[in-house]
């Protein structure tokens, strides 16, 4: 048994049991990969995969247990490498942040600027995606940290820590009738076409929950993952927008006006997610603290060891 065989297992699962795709990703041959997996199964005395001819169609019950242990072992190997890098070169290396558009566009820029100034020799990468995609990137070891509002707490293999709370707001063109309403209500908002986030992004669940709780069906005519896209279509007069309040920038959004909705929609919480029992480089702790000052090294370490 060797670590390479465990890496092969992991890569096959990553590629949805497609041996050909896994072999390409590993820069090895399909027969060679199949031979290594068969050798491992023979040594363990079990079948890890369900087969239909030469094709893998599922994972056996003992195979699931093997894969879970293999994941932990590979994770620990990565941690060993991180320990060596930390003590060999504390201020150099790489850090990959997986996040959504809203966080990358509006919340992270000042943090990234400070971090790059402090750690010029650290290669910082931002991967954008849906909350589900970025959580999976952290689980697969493709990213060190995930930052998002939705979905992260659904993954038991991840430690999630709250960073900050934020609210939605309404954005409308200059002169819109809602601007002169003395008391804004969900019923009045629902009288207009609405442009807002796709369901998986930026607290959309809180928007739906507010309307549902009041038995109101909003007229949502367009959804997007990007607040800038939403604001563009509001400027064109296609509807009113519901976006994260941080996404409204007065000096840039000169053709729009913002209406506070703090009493209409529940606040949303942006969270940071890290794999459990992860060894983090010193600069990773610093990045997290720059983003959420209350998440000190002590707090984060305690969280990922639970």
């Amino acid at each position: 048994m060797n670590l390479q065989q465990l890496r092969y297992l992991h890569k096959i699962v990553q590629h949805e049991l497609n041996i050909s795709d896994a072999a390409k990703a590993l820069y090895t041959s399909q027969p060679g990969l199949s031979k290594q997996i068969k050798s491992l199964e023979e040594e363990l005395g079990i079948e890890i995969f369900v087969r239909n001819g030469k094709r893998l169609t599922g994972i056996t019950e003992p195979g699931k247990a093997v894969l879970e242990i293999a994941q932990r072992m590979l994770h620990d190997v990565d941690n060993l490498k991180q320990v060596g890098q930390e003590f060999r070169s504390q201020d150099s290396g790489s850090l990959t942040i997986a996040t959504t558009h809203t966080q990358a566009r509006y919340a992270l820029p000042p943090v990234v600027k400070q971090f790059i100034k402090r750690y010029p020799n650290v290669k910082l990468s931002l991967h954008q995606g849906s909350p589900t995609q970025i959580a999976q990137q952290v689980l697969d070891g493709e990213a060190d940290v995930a930052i998002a509002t939705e979905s992260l707490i659904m993954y038991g293999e991840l430690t999630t820590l709250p960073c900050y709370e934020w609210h939605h707001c309404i954005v409308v063109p200059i002169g819109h009738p809602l601007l002169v309403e003395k008391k804004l209500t969900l019923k009045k908002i629902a009288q207009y076409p609405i442009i807002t986030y796709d369901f998986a992004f930026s607290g959309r669940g809180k928007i739906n929950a507010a309307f549902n709780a009041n038995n109101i069906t909003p007229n949502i005519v367009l959804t997007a993952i990007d607040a800038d896209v939403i604001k563009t279509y509001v400027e064109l007069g296609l509807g009113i927008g519901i976006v994260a309040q941080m996404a409204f920038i007065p000096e840039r959004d000169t053709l729009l006006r913002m209406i506070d909705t703090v009493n209409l929609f529940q606040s949303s919480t942006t969270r940071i997610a890290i794999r459990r029992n992860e060894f983090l480089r010193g600069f990773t702790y610093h990045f997290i603290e720059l983003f959420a000052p209350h998440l000190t090294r002590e707090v984060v370490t305690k969280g990922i060891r639970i």
Side-chain angles (χ1 to χ4, degrees), residues 26-171:
L26 290 161
Y27 300 102
T28 189
S29 68
Q30 183 175 336
L33 191 155
S34 297
K35 183 179 179 181
Q36 285 293 325
I37 296 304
K38 199 65 181 173
S39 175
L40 177 61
E41 288 179 319
E42 289 173 357
E43 182 175 352
L44 295 174
I46 61 168
E47 287 192 342
I48 296 172
F49 297 105
V50 180
R51 291 174 171 82
N52 183 4
K54 294 184 178 181
R55 193 164 58 89
L56 304 184
T57 58
I59 303 170
T60 66
E61 283 303 313
K64 291 176 184 177
V66 169
L67 285 164
E68 186 177 334
I69 294 169
Q71 294 273 22
R72 291 203 301 266
M73 292 176 70
L74 292 172
H75 186 190
D76 285 341
V77 169
D78 288 339
N79 280 342
L80 284 173
K81 293 178 181 177
Q82 293 285 358
V83 171
Q85 291 175 347
E86 175 66 11
F87 288 93
R88 190 169 60 248
S89 52
Q90 295 186 12
D91 289 351
S92 64
S94 63
L95 175 61
T96 300
I97 307 296
T99 189
T100 58
H101 170 83
T102 297
Q103 301 301 323
R105 172 68 177 82
Y106 301 105
L108 282 172
V111 176
V112 169
K113 183 177 180 180
Q114 291 180 66
F115 183 85
I116 290 176
K117 184 177 181 180
R118 170 64 180 81
Y119 298 98
N121 295 320
V122 174
K123 181 184 177 183
L124 182 63
S125 301
L126 294 180
H127 291 183
Q128 290 187 52
S130 71
T132 301
Q133 289 170 334
I134 66 175
Q136 195 60 51
Q137 286 182 29
V138 174
L139 289 172
D140 292 341
E142 298 171 4
D144 302 293
V145 170
I147 300 174
T149 297
E150 304 277 8
S151 302
L152 295 182
I153 57 175
M154 296 168 54
Y155 295 84
E157 308 96 316
L158 298 176
T159 291
T160 59
L161 301 169
C163 298
Y164 64 92
E165 289 191 350
W166 55 270
H167 291 86
H168 289 94
C169 69
I170 301 289
V171 289

Side-chain angles (χ1 to χ4, degrees), residues 168-172 176-181 184 189 240-241 245 248 257-262 264:
H168 289 94
C169 69
I170 301 289
V171 289
V172 297
H176 194 278
L178 285 181
L179 291 169
V180 296
E181 288 287 349
L184 189 65
I189 292 171
I240 64 173
Q245 194 162 343
F248 180 76
R257 295 294 180 265
M258 186 267 285
I259 304 172
D260 194 350
T261 61
V262 67
L264 298 180

Side-chain angles (χ1 to χ4, degrees), residues 46 119 133 187 217 265 269 280 284 300:
I46 61 168
Y119 298 98
Q133 289 170 334
K187 189 174 182 179
T217 302
F265 303 111
T269 302
L280 300 181
T284 305
V300 174

